[in-house]
Amino acid sequence: MSIRINAGYILTDSVHVGEMEFVMGVHSKAPSQFVTWACKNGTDYFWGHYFSDPLLAMKDLLSRANQELVFCMKKQENARRRREKPDDPCL
């Protein structure tokens, strides 16, 4: 596996949920040494959250992934309901 780097941060962890990826990186010389980003297509990083504490960064990484998981599960459930009741205007 190759080393991934974004904005000088070495990406150390990633979580894939649906079409989204959330990554965590570390930079030894940055004021905020740790970051989490949302990522699409393995190269499009956005919505960076910066931290000086690695555990807070990890917590944020997992929280962001969990939020996306909940979103995907709701989307899947709504699609299932629409298939079961296609004439229901509330869905």
Side-chain angles (χ1 to χ4, degrees):
M1 183 173 156
S2 63
I3 295 175
R4 290 170 61 189
I5 298 174
N6 186 57
Y9 286 81
I10 297 171
L11 304 184
T12 58
D13 298 277
S14 69
V15 179
H16 294 263
V17 180
E19 296 181 15
M20 288 294 299
E21 178 184 17
F22 299 91
V23 298
M24 179 174 149
V26 62
H27 190 306
S28 63
K29 296 180 181 175
S32 297
Q33 287 185 293
F34 304 94
V35 64
T36 66
W37 281 293
C39 180
K40 285 194 174 182
N41 303 319
T43 58
D44 182 14
Y45 301 94
F46 53 98
W47 292 333
H49 298 175
Y50 295 84
F51 302 90
S52 57
D53 183 307
L55 291 179
L56 289 176
M58 181 59 71
K59 181 179 178 182
D60 184 68
L61 174 70
L62 297 173
S63 175
R64 295 174 85 168
N66 187 61
Q67 289 173 7
E68 184 70 14
L69 178 62
V70 168
F71 172 78
C72 289
M73 291 175 72
K74 285 180 182 178
K75 188 175 169 182
Q76 182 179 17
E77 178 62 19
N78 288 340
R80 183 190 62 78
R81 287 181 181 175
R82 281 192 298 276
R83 284 192 307 273
E84 291 175 358
K85 297 179 182 180
D87 298 329
D88 189 337
C90 295
L91 297 177

